[in-house]
Amino acid sequence: MNKNELVTNISEKSGLTKKDVEAVVNGVIDEITAALKDGDKVQFVGFGTFETRERASRTGRNPQTGKEITIPASTVPAFKAGNKLKEAVK
């Protein structure tokens, strides 16, 4: 499912216009992004937690040349599923 399909499904189920639903979905995504950028967690009880994790620097290989390269440390977004989501997917 992509974002357009999500907006359409929510619009049909809620009776709201696609424009209103899209504004809400975009707002939620923007707020989660802003919180992660600031180093905060976003937690939806039962659904899951969005957070950032630190990835250490490591040595990799350039696949074209085989030469070793250093991959720098970075901060990456992560999602940890909640219990209700895990049970629903089982």
Side-chain angles (χ1 to χ4, degrees):
M1 175 183 296
N2 62 32
K3 189 165 93 171
N4 288 331
E5 293 169 339
L6 177 66
V7 168
T8 300
N9 290 347
I10 293 172
S11 175
E12 289 171 358
K13 290 178 183 177
S14 68
L16 298 170
T17 66
K18 285 185 181 181
K19 187 176 180 181
D20 290 341
V21 173
E22 185 173 12
V24 170
V25 169
N26 286 336
V28 169
I29 292 170
D30 291 344
E31 288 302 314
I32 292 171
T33 303
L36 293 179
K37 209 178 212 183
D38 293 340
D40 296 332
K41 286 186 189 179
V42 178
Q43 183 175 6
F44 297 105
V45 176
F47 180 73
T49 304
F50 295 91
E51 60 188 358
T52 57
R53 295 188 181 145
E54 298 297 321
R55 184 175 285 170
S57 63
R58 60 198 187 280
T59 303
R61 243 177 231 291
N62 181 334
Q64 292 179 334
T65 63
K67 182 181 174 187
E68 282 193 0
I69 58 171
T70 300
I71 302 168
S74 61
T75 302
V76 295
F79 176 77
K80 182 178 176 190
N83 289 334
K84 288 183 183 178
L85 180 60
K86 288 178 185 177
E87 287 298 318
V89 173
K90 264 189 182 179

